[in-house]
Amino acid sequence: MPFGQLSLKGRALKLLAAREHSRRELERKLAQHETEPGQLKTALDELQARGFLDEQRVVDSLVHRRAGRLGAGRIKQELQAKGLDAERVALAVASLKATEVERAREVWRKKFGVPPVDAAQRARQARFLAARGFGGEVIRRVLRMEED
């Protein structure tokens, strides 16, 4: 059956087969295909009851995929954009804080590998890390090559 002829539940399952989606993401992506009011809510409620739709799996999946390249700030932003529960987001971000310096150091090492020799290089390297969601203190520690 082509994608255009699938039911709402079928469309949702097809999206979930590709990667984990939050309920809000599925609502946004499938709203245009709803033919009767409440049809989408019913389909998503059923998928959630059967365990196909799980917010914690969405959090775990995103953290697993992105933590090696991004800082806690950027991951928090991505989780919030998915419309996830604030408490789940806070717990995920808190768990990332413990490894933030090591992860930032590894991201920096892959990109640059050598300490900045002047202020322009230091600024460029700091901007690179900041764009990936690492905080100011973490960036200072990485660029100063401080050990934990």
Side-chain angles (χ1 to χ4, degrees), residues 1-7 10-11 14:
M1 183 182 283
F3 194 70
Q5 298 173 357
L6 288 174
S7 67
R11 288 173 192 270
K14 192 168 180 96

Side-chain angles (χ1 to χ4, degrees), residues 48 61-62 82 87 90 122 130 133 135 144-145 148:
Q48 197 161 8
S61 173
L62 189 133
K82 291 181 178 294
E87 189 175 324
R122 176 177 291 282
R144 277 195 236 127
M145 302 295 157
D148 293 328

Side-chain angles (χ1 to χ4, degrees), residues 126-147:
R127 281 192 308 273
F128 171 81
L129 291 171
R132 276 144 190 83
F134 294 104
E137 183 57 34
V138 170
I139 293 170
R140 280 187 290 282
R141 290 180 68 185
V142 169
L143 295 181
R144 277 195 236 127
M145 302 295 157
E146 288 181 7
E147 293 300 320

Side-chain angles (χ1 to χ4, degrees), residues 45-100:
D45 286 345
E46 186 176 330
L47 289 173
Q48 197 161 8
R50 289 181 161 191
F52 290 108
L53 191 58
D54 184 341
E55 303 274 307
Q56 187 59 48
R57 274 199 323 256
V58 174
V59 171
D60 295 342
S61 173
L62 189 133
V63 168
H64 176 74
R65 283 183 292 119
R66 308 288 275 164
R69 295 184 308 273
L70 299 176
R74 177 92 172 267
I75 291 173
K76 178 180 179 182
Q77 181 184 23
E78 289 186 15
L79 290 170
Q80 288 173 333
K82 291 181 178 294
L84 296 167
D85 177 52
E87 189 175 324
R88 286 185 204 272
V89 171
L91 286 171
V93 170
S95 72
L96 289 170
K97 294 287 187 183
T99 61
E100 190 85 342

Side-chain angles (χ1 to χ4, degrees), residues 5-63:
Q5 298 173 357
L6 288 174
S7 67
L8 279 175
K9 196 184 316 178
R11 288 173 192 270
L13 286 171
K14 192 168 180 96
L15 290 168
L16 288 168
R19 70 165 175 85
E20 295 291 340
H21 285 73
S22 68
R23 185 178 182 107
R24 186 167 133 196
E25 285 180 298
L26 289 176
E27 287 170 348
R28 183 183 51 79
K29 289 181 177 185
L30 299 173
Q32 66 189 9
H33 302 288
E34 186 175 35
T35 56
E36 300 171 21
Q39 181 184 25
L40 179 58
K41 182 188 180 313
T42 304
L44 294 179
D45 286 345
E46 186 176 330
L47 289 173
Q48 197 161 8
R50 289 181 161 191
F52 290 108
L53 191 58
D54 184 341
E55 303 274 307
Q56 187 59 48
R57 274 199 323 256
V58 174
V59 171
D60 295 342
S61 173
L62 189 133
V63 168

